[in-house]
Amino acid sequence: DEAERLMKGVREALADENAKGVEHSAHTLKGVAANMAAGPVRAASTRLVELARAGDLHAASPALERLEIEMKRLLNVLGTIEREGLPA
């Protein structure tokens, strides 16, 4: 899906030390998170964008870990909603 493709893009760009690639993928994820009102994912994506723009890829690794945690939480919630529907 789109979120996993973007997360893969962030991981690959970071592994390649490609600050522009990290910035691009993280910025796109930030927009997706904003559209879904997923505040923690948006905040983690914003942090990655800021670090990539500053060229601080060393600090981007822990920021990516935070983003992955928040994405996992979001995807778990979405999976529950998909299986069980929204609570009444």
Side-chain angles (χ1 to χ4, degrees), residues 12-73:
E12 288 176 353
L14 188 56
D16 293 341
E17 298 183 5
N18 177 354
K20 283 290 186 190
V22 171
E23 179 184 351
H24 174 76
S25 293
H27 187 270
T28 303
L29 268 170
K30 182 176 95 169
V32 169
N35 288 337
M36 297 178 63
V41 172
R42 184 176 182 206
S45 298
T46 298
R47 180 69 179 138
L48 264 175
V49 169
E50 292 168 351
L51 291 168
R53 285 183 180 158
D56 190 357
L57 295 182
H58 178 71
S61 289
L64 174 58
E65 289 175 23
R66 168 56 49 196
L67 177 58
E68 290 191 355
I69 289 167
E70 297 304 340
M71 282 296 299
K72 184 175 181 178
R73 287 180 181 162

